[in-house]
Amino acid sequence: MEGSRTISNELEHPTVGSVVMGWYGPGLWFEDEGQGDAVVLMPGWGGSIVDLDGVRRALRGGFRVIAVDLPGSGRSQPQPRAYPPTYYVDDAHLLLALLDDLGVGAAHLVGFSDGGEEALLMARLRPARALSVLTWGAAGSIVATPEMLRALRVLIDEPVPELLPLAAYLAEKYGADGARTMARTWSAAMAAIVEAGGDISRSGAADITCPALLITGTHDPVCPPDLVREMAAAIPRGRFLEAPDAGHPVHVSHAAWLIPRIVSWLGDH
């Protein structure tokens, strides 16, 4: 299936107009709908584009929205995925190849958490492909304590209180064994990245030449405001915005605050 698309006319969610749906390459699931400037919309690790339905509904009337499940998450393969330390770069190249296949010359890159990290990395790797970048819960680098990495490694069997919702979500969506493999290998990948200095796109922030808006919650334990503010300042046309009193999944707790800002940003750029 490498380099090919399969298209289904069956719609899984309410839509306006038609949706092109299918897999690209090694099982990358995408849904392509609407007209106008292209927006690539990417959820976080373990998440699904269904989680961003509110954002999609707000955008589909004025943009071409290409929603993509990251490899190993949502409907994308492989499942369960064993995450290598190189997975951010590997996935960024695959996502850029999808845009090539779809004939998209340039797009707004919008993502949450790992989806946001991919957006920043794609803009760094191929600056001409990015009309703008908008992320929440992404910082261009990983900062994690040994305690945090251990909590991720044993997420399914020994979840700490603050990670109970994530553990339950993953176990329900991927099964306990699949979720266990995901968490264990993802934690190992994070540890390797941290040991190597934590860089994802931070060292190349100056290469991100498009306008960029980086958002994070006041209480985000993964991407605290100071870390995200620093990344935004390193991007030549970067801006930082704090979601008051929010945690990591701003689109869940503060959707009414976040979605109008996404629509406004994309409309202005």
Side-chain angles (χ1 to χ4, degrees):
M1 192 161 50
E2 182 67 33
S4 66
R5 279 191 292 164
T6 58
I7 298 174
S8 168
N9 291 321
E10 180 181 355
L11 306 184
E12 292 191 342
H13 313 295
T15 62
V16 177
S18 61
V19 183
V20 175
M21 308 168 68
W23 283 273
Y24 170 76
L28 186 70
W29 178 258
F30 71 95
E31 299 182 9
D32 183 356
E33 61 180 308
Q35 301 291 328
D37 287 344
V39 177
V40 181
L41 185 62
M42 296 168 283
W45 175 79
S48 164
I49 54 178
V50 176
D51 303 334
L52 302 180
D53 270 354
V55 179
R56 295 174 72 185
R57 283 193 297 270
L59 295 179
R60 61 167 57 113
F63 297 91
R64 177 184 179 185
V65 181
I66 304 167
V68 187
D69 282 336
L70 299 183
S73 296
R75 295 185 65 176
S76 288
Q77 302 299 312
Q79 291 190 18
R81 184 183 186 185
Y83 288 83
T86 59
Y87 85 90
Y88 281 115
V89 173
D90 298 342
D91 293 358
H93 284 298
L94 180 61
L95 291 159
L96 287 166
L98 169 64
L99 296 186
D100 290 339
D101 188 70
L102 294 175
V104 176
H108 300 283
L109 307 175
V110 179
F112 161 61
S113 196
D114 261 17
E117 301 295 0
E118 295 294 353
L120 290 165
L121 188 52
M122 290 165 70
R124 172 193 172 182
L125 293 171
R126 301 275 292 276
R129 304 302 296 274
L131 296 173
S132 77
V133 171
L134 188 150
T135 69
W136 63 102
S141 60
I142 300 295
V143 176
T145 65
E147 292 76 20
M148 182 183 298
L149 293 172
R150 182 190 181 279
L152 293 175
R153 186 172 65 253
V154 299
L155 175 63
I156 303 305
D157 298 307
E158 304 174 41
V160 296
E162 56 267 33
L163 294 179
L164 277 169
L166 176 60
Y169 174 90
L170 293 173
E172 178 181 3
K173 191 168 184 65
Y174 303 102
D177 289 342
R180 191 176 291 114
T181 297
M182 292 171 65
R184 175 178 52 79
T185 61
W186 189 55
S187 172
M190 292 297 100
I193 293 170
V194 169
E195 185 176 355
D199 183 61
I200 302 174
S201 59
R202 175 64 180 83
S203 63
D207 296 329
I208 302 174
T209 55
C210 67
L213 176 61
L214 278 60
I215 299 170
T216 200
T218 303
H219 307 297
D220 190 331
V222 181
C223 296
D226 285 350
L227 185 65
V228 179
R229 184 182 293 108
E230 178 185 292
M231 177 64 178
I235 297 172
R237 302 169 69 186
R239 288 182 52 195
F240 169 77
L241 187 61
E242 184 174 320
D245 297 319
H248 190 58
V250 179
H251 61 289
V252 175
S253 62
H254 290 62
W257 180 93
L258 177 67
I259 292 175
R261 284 164 175 79
I262 295 175
V263 173
S264 176
W265 171 267
L266 295 178
D268 289 342
H269 295 88

